[in-house]
Amino acid sequence: MTLSQPDSSQPEVTAPIFLAQARRHQTDTVPVWFMRQAGRALPEYRAIRGTGSILEAVQKPELAAEITLQPVRRYGVDAAVLYSDIIVPVNAIDFGVEIRPGRGPIVEHPIRSESDMKRFRALDPMSDMPYVIETIKLLKPELSVPLIGFAGAPFTVASYLIEGGPSKNFERTKALMFQEPELWDRIMSALSQLATEFLTAQLEAGVDAVQLFDSWAGALSPRHYRELVLPYTRRVFESIERFAVPRIHFGVGTSALISDMVDAPVEVLGLDWRVPISKATEQTRGQVALQGNLDPAICLSNWSTIETEARQILKEASTAPGFIFNLGHGVLPETDPGLLSDLVQFIHSQGRDLISANTEGN
Amino acid sequence: MTLSQPDSSQPEVTAPIFLAQARRHQTDTVPVWFMRQAGRALPEYRAIRGTGSILEAVQKPELAAEITLQPVRRYGVDAAVLYSDIIVPVNAIDFGVEIRPGRGPIVEHPIRSESDMKRFRALDPMSDMPYVIETIKLLKPELSVPLIGFAGAPFTVASYLIEGGPSKNFERTKALMFQEPELWDRIMSALSQLATEFLTAQLEAGVDAVQLFDSWAGALSPRHYRELVLPYTRRVFESIERFAVPRIHFGVGTSALISDMVDAPVEVLGLDWRVPISKATEQTRGQVALQGNLDPAICLSNWSTIETEARQILKEASTAPGFIFNLGHGVLPETDPGLLSDLVQFIHSQGRDLISANTEGN
C-alpha cells in the first residue's frame, strides 16, 4: 500500500487517511472502518435504538445521527457510515417493503409482471426522505472523519423485490432475468435510477464517499454478471462521477467477479475474506484501491486470533496501490466491541510500523 | 474435452462414458448426471417416498434402490447416484442427528467441548448400516450405468455438528477452528475416519466412483481452507486410493479454492456455475477432469434458456482434459423433469456433434 515515508521529500498529506488511501495517495498509517459498525454490537446502540424497524429509526434524524456517531467515538475508526439501509429509497417511494427484525427486507407483493413497474416512480429526496438529508446535515459539523453514504446496487435490491425477501438460490430473480429480458431491463433501469437519485441526494447533502452494496452479486456466473448486471451498476457509478468522491464497489463471494467489478468506474473495490488482497491486487492490476477483508466470524474469536489474522491481511495488502482495512462483511451482532477497538488501534500502530520498516529498508 | 474421433486409429472405448471421462480417456460423447437427481423433482419419487426423514427412507433397501434407479430410467443419465445423505454415517454411529424436512440436518446437542468426542466411535458398516450395503447389492445387477457413492467432507459435516444445524456464517465452527486447535483436530480426524469408513463400505459393496461433498468449504478463506481443512480431506481421498475408482471433489462457491482442492489426490473436480470451466481448466493445468456446472436455478427457466446455457458450458469445456456435465449444485425440487430429460438428450447429441466438427476440422 502507499504509505508516506517520513524522510522522503513528499509534502505532508493533510487529507483524511480514508479518503487519501481510497485515491491511492500516501498516508502515514492504514485507515479502518467497519461495515455495519453502527449497530447491535454496541451497548450504546441497543440503549437508544428503541423498537420498530430500521426504516422507522432512520426517519428520526437526531437518533440516526447519534447512531452514526457512536462507532466513531467508540472505535476511533477513520470514517463514519450513515446509519441507513439499502431499502430506504424503495421504501421512500412507497413501493411496499418493510424490514422484519431477524428476517430482513420483506416485500408483500413481489414483482411478478410489467404491471408492477407502475409502483416505481422518481425519488424526490426533499419530500420523500427529508430525514436522510437532515441526518447528514446534523452529522457534518459533528464529524472529524469523512462520512460514507451508500446504496444497494440494482441486482441486490432487485433480488429482494422479485423474491419477496432474502433468498438462498435467487430462483425467481434468475428466472425473470433469463425469461423476461425486457422486464429485467425495466426493473434494473428503474433501480439504477433509484440508486443514482439516492446517492446523489446523499452527496449533495455532504457525504464524502459512497459505497454501492451488490451484496448478492456473487450468486451469479461471471458471464451473467457481466451481461445482465454490470451495465446497470456501471450506470450508477457513472452518474455520480461529477461529485469526484471515492466510489466503493462491494459484494460478497465475488472472487470470480473481480475483474468485471472494476470494469465500472470505481476508486475502491471492497472484498470479502474469500480472496487474499494480494491476489486481488494482481487481478485489478493496481487500477483501484482495495478494501477488506477480515472474516467477521473471526471477530467472535479471541484477540490473539484476531491479531494473527489482521497481521496477515496487512501483509497481503502491502502491494496494494491503496488499502482500507475493513471486515469482509458487516459486524456480527454478537461481536465484543472491545475487540474492535483493539483492532482499530492495532491496524493504526501496525500501519505506522510498516512505514518504519519500509524506511529502514531504504 | 477428450472425445474419440471415428477416423482415428484409437481402439474402440468400451468403458462407460462417465468413468472414461473421469479418467480423461476418450469417449464418443459427453456424460451427464445430476446431483440430487433422485428426489423431489420426480413425481415417481413423491409417489413412493412416503413420510419420515431421508434417514428413515435409506434404511429401506428396496425403496432406496428404486429411488436410485428412477432418474436413470427417466433421464437416461450416465451414472446413478446412491440415494443417501452425508449425515447417514453420523446417524449410524448414534451421534444424535436428525433431518427435518425443509430445514436440513439438526443436531440437538452440538459439539461444545472435548467431552462430546465420546459420542464418536468407529463405524461398523455391517452392524451399523447394513441397509447401505444391501441397497448397493440390490442395485448393482439392475444398473447399466456406473453407481456413484458419496460422503460429506469433514469440514461440511463438522459445520452441522458444531452449529447444530444449517448455518449462514459458520460462527461457532470458525470460533472452534481458531480458538481450540486441538479439539478441531480431534473432530476433523474423527470425521475423516468416518468418511473413510463410509466410503470404504460403499466401495467394498460395489460403487464405481465416489464424490466427496465439501459443500460449504467456500465459506473459508483459501489460507484457512489450506491449513485447517484440506489436510483432513486429503486423508480421506488417500485412504481410498487402493480402490482405483474416480474420486470427485465438490464444493459450492469455491472459485478461490480451485488450486487447493486439486491438491488432494482426486480424478475429478466438481464446480458450481460461479467459475467458467475454461478458467478452471487453466487453473488445474489439465491435472483433473472437471464436472459441472449449470446453475440449477436456470433449470427452472424455459428450454430455450437452458439450451443456450448448456451450449455455452460445452463450449467452455472444450479444452478440459475430461468433462462430465452436471448442475452446479443439486436439482431444485421445483424443476420440471421433462426439461432435465431434454437436457440429457441435448448434451449427448451436442457431444456427438462436437466430434463431427472436430473430425471435419482435421
Side-chain angles (χ1 to χ4, degrees), chain B residues 280-317:
Chain B
T281 301
E282 283 172 37
Q283 287 185 263
T284 55
R285 301 192 195 100
Q287 289 170 270
V288 294
L290 297 170
Q291 174 180 283
N293 67 347
L294 183 65
D295 185 343
I298 284 173
C299 295
L300 302 183
S301 197
N302 52 18
W303 172 249
S304 135
T305 304
I306 297 172
E307 184 184 324
T308 306
E309 298 299 319
R311 198 184 294 276
Q312 178 67 28
I313 289 170
L314 288 176
K315 197 174 135 195
E316 286 165 359

Side-chain angles (χ1 to χ4, degrees), chain B residues 159-354:
Chain B
S159 79
Y160 290 111
L161 304 190
I162 297 167
E163 302 291 336
S167 174
K168 198 177 151 198
N169 298 314
F170 303 96
E171 287 103 330
R172 285 178 177 275
T173 310
K174 289 178 180 176
L176 195 153
M177 189 168 185
F178 295 118
Q179 292 187 269
E180 304 186 64
E182 285 175 26
L183 180 55
W184 179 253
D185 176 63
R186 290 197 61 191
I187 296 169
M188 291 294 278
S189 297
L191 291 173
S192 308
Q193 183 63 26
L194 195 59
T196 298
E197 290 159 346
F198 187 41
L199 290 176
T200 301
Q202 294 176 65
L203 285 160
E204 287 176 346
V207 301
D208 305 289
V210 293
Q211 177 158 314
L212 197 64
F213 282 86
D214 211 353
S215 308
W216 312 137
L220 298 167
S221 77
R223 191 165 49 82
H224 297 145
Y225 174 76
R226 199 155 50 236
E227 292 171 6
L228 296 164
V229 171
L230 180 61
Y232 304 94
T233 302
R234 184 184 283 126
R235 213 180 278 177
V236 179
F237 282 119
E238 283 170 352
S239 72
I240 54 165
E241 180 99 47
R242 64 196 159 94
F243 291 98
V245 303
R247 293 163 291 185
I248 310 170
H249 195 183
F250 170 77
V252 175
T254 56
S255 326
L257 304 180
I258 287 177
S259 53
D260 293 312
M261 286 180 76
V262 297
D263 202 15
V266 300
E267 282 66 40
V268 185
L269 178 66
L271 294 164
D272 80 0
W273 59 94
R274 290 175 178 87
V275 57
I277 298 292
S278 49
K279 200 171 162 189
T281 301
E282 283 172 37
Q283 287 185 263
T284 55
R285 301 192 195 100
Q287 289 170 270
V288 294
L290 297 170
Q291 174 180 283
N293 67 347
L294 183 65
D295 185 343
I298 284 173
C299 295
L300 302 183
S301 197
N302 52 18
W303 172 249
S304 135
T305 304
I306 297 172
E307 184 184 324
T308 306
E309 298 299 319
R311 198 184 294 276
Q312 178 67 28
I313 289 170
L314 288 176
K315 197 174 135 195
E316 286 165 359
S318 64
T319 54
F323 182 63
I324 297 156
F325 189 94
N326 204 318
L327 305 187
H329 203 179
V331 172
L332 294 167
E334 309 78 22
T335 309
D336 171 359
L339 290 172
L340 292 187
S341 297
D342 292 349
L343 179 55
V344 173
Q345 269 202 331
F346 177 78
I347 298 296
H348 284 161
S349 87
Q350 196 66 15
R352 274 184 218 100
D353 288 355
L354 264 180

Side-chain angles (χ1 to χ4, degrees), chain B residues 74-136:
Chain B
R74 162 80 79 144
Y75 301 133
V77 283
D78 300 294
V81 55
L82 187 66
Y83 182 65
S84 177
D85 192 275
I86 63 166
I87 292 303
V88 163
V90 196
N91 182 53
I93 62 165
D94 300 311
F95 187 88
V97 61
E98 54 172 320
I99 294 184
R100 291 202 200 130
R103 268 199 72 192
I106 302 296
V107 179
E108 204 191 331
H109 302 289
I111 300 178
R112 289 285 172 268
S113 69
E114 282 285 334
S115 68
D116 292 302
M117 295 308 298
K118 289 184 222 129
R119 294 153 67 193
F120 282 106
R121 62 170 174 81
L123 178 77
D124 178 351
M126 286 311 293
S127 61
D128 293 328
M129 44 164 231
Y131 45 86
V132 172
I133 321 286
E134 179 63 17
T135 304
I136 296 170

